[in-house]
Amino acid sequence: MQKTILALALATTMAAPMFAHDEAGDWVVRLRAVSVNPNVDSDLGKTLNKNVGPVMSPGAELSVSEKMIPELDISYYFTKNIAAELILATGTRHNVRVNDDQLATVGDQDLGSVNLLPPTLTAQWHFNPDQMIDPYVGAGINYTLFMDKKLSVNKGPLGGTHKIRVDSDSWGWALQAGVDINLDDGWLVNFDAKYVTIDTDVELKGAATGGVWTKIDDLDINPWVIGVGIGKKF
């Protein structure tokens, strides 16, 4: 075992000069598998009771499920340390559910799902661009497009089926930290974590609202996006 570890260490040392150094004008394309983990803040019960009527527990909330998706990103290096990264994730579908209605009037239930498309642009600082281990931090902006955003509730004192919708798309901030492990011939392995702010209004329409769209929640989704993948420098 010790001989094996020594051999790997020697091989890494010998390979180090072959790493492709990041330079101004370089492009890097990465493909990641990412887990989107919503950090939800919901005031469903309080807002619904205020705007529609006292029909839910004030502590009732909306939950948004986790999702695994592929993610493609493209980076451009302005200098060996400074890069811009455009993150192009595929649409990510999340189930939406009512939780913690302790009065059980509307009751805990699935409302359907929404599909999010969240392109994100970050500026990055790379600490060790000429080394095998190159950690980085980044910050930027996110625009989340809500697609297939029709939900419905069909149980409880609201009576009948009521439509629910996500009212608007979202602009937000993104914070990022990760590491590139540089390999031969411009290839790399990447580990990446982002925190993205996503917020929107949720509205209800039906007999209980007089047939007009009425706000029932100010929903913050704010996911952690954790990914691992490979990349190539050009």
Side-chain angles (χ1 to χ4, degrees):
M1 177 63 71
Q2 291 180 345
K3 291 182 179 180
T4 301
I5 294 174
L6 179 59
L8 289 173
L10 289 172
T12 300
T13 302
M14 294 174 64
M18 300 177 64
F19 297 149
H21 297 171
D22 297 327
E23 300 291 346
D26 282 354
W27 293 86
V28 177
V29 178
R30 299 179 185 86
L31 180 64
R32 302 184 182 113
V34 300
S35 176
V36 182
N37 304 282
N39 180 31
V40 176
D41 183 13
S42 168
D43 290 320
L44 174 66
K46 294 177 182 177
T47 308
L48 179 63
N49 289 348
K50 176 182 177 182
N51 294 339
V52 178
V55 296
M56 294 188 76
S57 167
E61 298 178 335
L62 291 179
S63 66
V64 182
S65 65
E66 301 176 2
K67 186 71 174 182
M68 286 287 298
I69 60 169
E71 177 185 280
L72 176 70
D73 71 80
I74 302 172
S75 295
Y76 177 79
Y77 282 77
F78 296 98
T79 72
K80 65 168 55 181
N81 295 100
I82 300 174
E85 181 181 85
L86 178 61
I87 300 159
L88 300 171
T90 61
T92 168
R93 184 172 293 279
H94 300 268
N95 296 325
V96 181
R97 179 176 173 81
V98 175
N99 288 327
D100 299 326
D101 183 13
Q102 297 177 0
L103 296 180
T105 48
V106 172
D108 294 357
Q109 61 175 293
D110 295 324
L111 301 181
S113 63
V114 293
N115 196 11
L116 311 183
L117 183 64
T120 303
L121 179 65
T122 62
Q124 298 175 339
W125 175 264
H126 288 255
F127 292 91
N128 297 311
D130 295 335
Q131 305 300 318
M132 179 180 179
I133 306 299
D134 178 19
Y136 59 86
V137 294
I141 58 173
N142 162 266
Y143 177 75
T144 298
L145 175 65
F146 287 83
M147 304 178 296
D148 300 332
K149 54 190 179 182
K150 296 179 181 179
L151 306 169
S152 65
V153 57
N154 55 14
K155 176 182 177 182
L158 294 176
T161 298
H162 281 62
K163 296 180 180 179
I164 299 175
R165 72 178 183 184
V166 175
D167 179 53
S168 60
D169 299 330
S170 170
W171 285 95
W173 299 103
L175 297 176
Q176 181 181 35
V179 61
D180 286 330
I181 302 175
N182 294 305
L183 307 174
D184 293 346
D185 300 323
W187 290 96
L188 59 87
V189 176
N190 175 258
F191 299 91
D192 185 86
K194 293 181 288 293
Y195 183 76
V196 182
T197 60
I198 301 174
D199 65 86
T200 188
D201 290 339
V202 181
E203 298 183 335
L204 178 77
K205 180 180 180 181
T209 66
V212 299
W213 289 108
T214 302
K215 180 178 176 179
I216 60 171
D217 199 2
D218 182 6
L219 180 66
D220 295 336
I221 300 175
N222 299 347
W224 286 95
V225 183
I226 311 298
V228 59
I230 59 173
K232 183 71 167 65
K233 296 184 177 72
F234 297 94

